[in-house]
Each structure stands twice: as C-alpha cells, then as structure tokens.
Amino acid sequence: MRRPPGPGRVATSLADLSRRGENSVSTTRTSRAHLIGGALALSLALSACGGGATAASAPAPAAPSASAQAGVSAEHNEADIRFAQMMIPHHRQAVAMAGMAVERAETPDVKLLAEQIQAAQDPEIEQLSGFLQAWGADVPAEDDMSAMPGMSGMDHSGMGDVSGMMTPEQMNELQSAGGPAFDRMFLEMMIAHHEGAVRDSEREVAEGVNPQAKELAQQIISAQNAEIAQMRQMLQAG
C-alpha cells in the first residue's frame, strides 16, 4: 500500500504546477503576440500592394482634348473667313456623298476612295470650324448643307457661291441610283465637287492672310487634284 505524499512533496508539486502554468501562459501570450504581429505585417503588406495595384491600374485622368481653335493665328481677313465658311458645307456635302458610296458603290475602288474622302475631310471640317471660332466668326450650322437628300425645301440662299456644290435634285438623283450607274454618277459628281473645292482653295491661297488657312487650302489643292486624276482614271477604266 502506497503512502500519501508528505507535505514537502506536495509543496514541490504545487510549485512545479505553478511554474508550468506560468510558462504555458507565457508561451500562449508569446504565440498570440507573434500571430497578431504576423497578421498586422501581412495586413500592411497587402495594403501596400493593394495601394500600388490600384495606382497602377487606375486610369489616368483623361487630358481635355485640345480645342480645334487652340493655336490658331488671330491674323485673318474677309477672304479667310469666306474660305472657311464656304468650305465647311462644301466638305459636309462631300462627306455625305462619300457616305452613300461607302454603302452603295459596286466597285471596291470607289468604296475605298469614298472612305478616303471621309477620313480626309471630316478632320478638315473641325479645323475650319476652329478657325472661325478663333476669329469670332459664325460657323455654318450643321443643317446648312444646300444639297442633302430630303432638304430641298430648306433655305440655302447663302450657299450659292460655293463652287461645285450639288443641287438637291442632283443629290436625290445620286441617292436613287444603283449599280454601275451609281458608281459613274458618284465619280462624275465628285470630280466637279473637287474642282470647285480646288478653285475656292486657290482663291484662299491668293487672297487670304492667315498662314494656317492658306496652308490648309494648299493641302486641299494637292489632295483633291490627286483624287480628281484618280477618279478620271476610274471612269476611263469603267
């Protein structure tokens, strides 16, 4: 039969248990501290990474588009104003005619030419509008196009001096044509249209004073003379 432990051994056991408890609590506290510290470090790292990713992926604020009138020379005369005011509706009609050809032309070369006309003259309309805005002159209204199909009842009296513009009847005739007849009619009309633009541009070169308007006029002369030659070749080939 085992003897019960004496008072000395009981005290020793209790002291051992106390030390073990303290060590356990200390270990637990240390583990918790390590866990908290690790979690905090991980949180800070993720936050830093997330902030960097956000900065990298966030789109930069879009810079405001430069106005078409920015940097336009203030020097101008009546010839410059006339050139811009007449050429805008002239170009708009050319773009409208080209739009018909893109949709309805039978010959791939005619479609390609029409796309080329659109790509060249749309930006020139914006540039010409910027000239007029910079000079404090009126920009022709969008619907002031003289010869758009279905607009024959509108007042286009102010457009009578625009060289080469098609009449509403001619535009409606082009709209009604189809097949090879459309291609031929488009080419013939666009040749006349381009010739008018060249004449107006030559007048600007001779009489205008604004260097940017004169430069644009010279560009129109060169580009549209080249397209006139191209269209004449297409007519001969057809």
Side-chain angles (χ1 to χ4, degrees):
M1 188 172 189
R2 296 182 60 184
R3 285 181 165 186
R9 294 183 63 182
V10 170
T12 300
S13 299
L14 290 174
D16 289 341
L17 288 173
S18 177
R19 282 195 296 271
R20 289 175 186 173
E22 288 175 358
N23 289 339
S24 175
V25 169
S26 176
T27 302
T28 302
R29 286 176 179 171
T30 302
S31 299
R32 286 179 180 173
H34 287 165
L35 288 173
I36 292 171
L40 180 58
L42 178 61
S43 174
L44 290 173
L46 290 174
S47 176
C49 292
T54 302
S57 61
S65 58
S67 170
Q69 60 180 300
V72 176
S73 170
E75 183 184 12
H76 67 282
N77 61 10
E78 288 302 318
D80 295 316
I81 293 175
R82 176 196 176 279
F83 168 69
Q85 288 180 334
M86 294 300 185
M87 197 58 67
I88 287 173
H90 197 278
H91 272 24
R92 285 174 180 163
Q93 189 183 67
V95 169
M97 293 167 67
M100 293 186 207
V102 169
E103 294 180 359
R104 309 183 59 189
E106 187 172 88
T107 308
D109 285 346
V110 174
K111 284 182 181 287
L112 186 61
L113 172 66
E115 291 172 353
Q116 178 180 315
I117 291 170
Q118 287 178 319
Q121 298 198 24
D122 265 333
E124 289 175 353
I125 292 170
E126 183 178 354
Q127 186 177 3
L128 290 160
S129 299
F131 290 166
L132 293 172
Q133 291 168 357
W135 301 334
D138 292 336
V139 177
E142 286 284 346
D143 60 355
D144 194 2
M145 290 191 57
S146 170
M148 286 290 290
M151 293 186 179
S152 57
M154 297 180 65
D155 178 14
H156 306 296
S157 57
M159 309 310 299
D161 293 334
V162 182
S163 300
M165 292 284 284
M166 299 297 109
T167 65
E169 292 76 20
Q170 287 173 310
M171 290 293 283
N172 286 326
E173 186 179 0
L174 180 63
Q175 180 73 26
S176 301
F182 173 90
D183 290 7
R184 175 165 288 276
M185 188 179 300
F186 170 78
L187 292 173
E188 290 172 345
M189 287 185 175
M190 192 59 77
I191 287 173
H193 207 271
H194 274 26
E195 288 173 341
V198 169
R199 287 194 297 271
D200 278 347
S201 298
E202 288 172 342
R203 179 174 175 181
E204 166 61 16
V205 171
E207 301 177 8
V209 297
N210 181 274
Q212 291 147 312
K214 289 164 72 74
E215 180 182 2
L216 177 58
Q218 190 59 61
Q219 290 172 3
I220 291 171
I221 293 168
S222 299
Q224 298 204 13
N225 271 333
E227 288 175 349
I228 289 169
Q230 182 183 357
M231 288 187 284
R232 285 177 174 156
Q233 289 178 351
M234 289 181 184
L235 287 172
Q236 291 174 357

